[in-house]
Amino acid sequence: MLLRRATALPKTLQNLRLFSPAATSALALDHALESQLDYLPGFPRPDAKHAETILAVPRSDSGKNISAKERKAGRVPSIIFEQEDGQHGGNKRLVSVQTNQIRKLVTHLGYSFFLARLFDVEVRSEIGSDEVIEKVRALPRSIHLHSGTDAPLNVTFIRAPPGTLLKVDIPLVFIGDDVSPGLKKGASLNTIKRTVKFLCPAEIIPPYIEVDLSLLDVGQKLVAGDLKVHPALKLIRPKDEPIVKIAGGRVSDQQKDQQKKDQPKKEQSKK
């Protein structure tokens, strides 16, 4: 459930006389900015059926041997960082999460979608204990999977309390391919990007972004700036970075047969 930001008077308004025109205007602006931190109609929002609390236990030390023991016990070595610059952080807490739970989430959501969703992470004193040491809202920053089995080997989380900004690779979902004029002509879809990085408020992290192909003809493309996203999101990459393109049309079997029939006529005309 989305929690809205507290409605305390912003510092920029504390020196304004209450009910003055300046205060009224500033309050209206602040309310407009705050309202952007709601999921808006027409934009994707996280599906509540995938909401799940990830259970974790403290890990006293790190290292190759410790990690191997954790994996053998059915746990994934993990780290929870404090948000600092959207990429790295301090206030590091070493934990381990349950392998089966992480594998299930990655399988159900998909790799990219797992990394674009907030979770409640509940750190308990030990497996099966009711004693909660810390409960934090966090974003999976990275996950390393085994190359052969896809078993999770380690996971990194970033704390995501309300009011923080996070760099998130949002997955792209392509729609309208069934009515695209270019694809109907036999052209091929050249997918250049499958995720796009945005700076997102912790309150608004879309599970995906829809890319509409319904109007694209042969030779046309969409760039990052064409994506329709929530106004609170800020594109990090250049706006002209290509996302998808309708490549040149393929020659159909019927056209190939016609070309074969026309070939002798061309050769005779040369003679």
Side-chain angles (χ1 to χ4, degrees):
M1 181 177 182
L2 181 66
L3 298 178
R4 295 193 61 178
R5 180 173 296 184
T7 56
L9 193 66
K11 292 182 180 179
T12 55
L13 307 183
Q14 291 177 357
N15 295 327
L16 295 177
R17 183 167 56 89
L18 194 60
F19 302 122
S20 69
T24 303
S25 176
L27 282 169
L29 176 60
D30 183 70
H31 178 72
L33 292 174
E34 182 181 327
S35 64
Q36 290 185 355
L37 297 181
D38 283 323
Y39 286 100
L40 300 177
F43 292 99
R45 64 177 63 207
D47 193 333
K49 73 179 181 180
H50 295 304
E52 188 166 338
T53 297
I54 295 177
L55 301 179
V57 293
R59 184 163 50 95
S60 59
D61 203 355
S62 61
K64 186 176 180 179
N65 292 335
I66 297 294
S67 296
K69 289 180 180 179
E70 289 297 297
R71 296 186 188 106
K72 190 174 182 179
R75 296 189 291 269
V76 182
S78 305
I79 301 175
I80 305 175
F81 282 112
E82 187 71 40
Q83 168 68 26
E84 283 187 355
D85 62 0
Q87 199 75 307
H88 306 92
N91 191 16
K92 181 172 69 174
R93 179 187 285 277
L94 298 176
V95 298
S96 291
V97 294
Q98 296 175 305
T99 300
N100 289 341
Q101 185 179 27
I102 299 301
R103 186 199 289 268
K104 182 192 71 173
L105 289 170
V106 174
T107 301
H108 287 181
L109 293 171
Y111 181 87
S112 299
F113 297 88
F114 173 76
L115 295 176
R117 185 181 179 92
L118 289 181
F119 292 94
D120 288 324
V121 180
E122 196 170 270
V123 184
R124 300 187 178 185
S125 57
E126 58 184 22
I127 297 294
S129 172
D130 293 330
E131 180 185 358
V132 178
I133 299 175
E134 180 184 13
K135 186 172 183 177
V136 61
R137 194 75 166 155
L139 175 75
R141 170 60 66 201
S142 63
I143 180 170
H144 182 206
L145 303 179
H146 189 279
S147 59
T149 64
D150 283 338
L153 299 178
N154 56 64
V155 189
T156 300
F157 295 94
I158 292 287
R159 288 185 175 86
T164 57
L165 294 174
L166 300 157
K167 294 177 182 178
V168 186
D169 287 307
I170 307 297
L172 302 178
V173 173
F174 298 91
I175 62 173
D177 54 310
D178 55 331
V179 295
S180 165
L183 295 179
K184 278 190 170 184
K185 294 175 183 176
S188 59
L189 181 65
N190 181 13
T191 303
I192 302 168
K193 301 284 289 185
R194 295 194 178 275
T195 64
V196 175
K197 191 181 293 291
F198 281 86
L199 190 64
C200 307
E203 296 90 340
I204 302 292
I205 299 181
Y208 59 88
I209 295 171
E210 290 185 341
V211 183
D212 191 358
L213 308 173
S214 60
L215 299 179
L216 287 189
D217 209 334
V218 178
Q220 294 183 329
K221 66 180 179 180
L222 292 175
V223 297
D226 295 325
L227 299 176
K228 295 181 180 180
V229 299
H230 192 287
L233 273 58
K234 181 180 178 181
L235 181 65
I236 295 178
R237 304 292 299 172
K239 290 186 177 181
D240 60 352
E241 185 172 67
I243 299 298
V244 66
K245 181 179 181 180
I246 305 296
R250 297 188 299 268
V251 179
S252 66
D253 292 337
Q254 185 177 0
Q255 289 173 322
K256 288 180 180 179
D257 292 339
Q258 186 62 44
Q259 288 176 356
K260 290 180 180 179
K261 292 178 181 178
D262 294 340
Q263 189 65 28
K265 295 179 181 179
K266 290 182 180 180
E267 291 177 353
Q268 290 176 3
S269 63
K270 288 180 181 178
K271 295 178 181 179

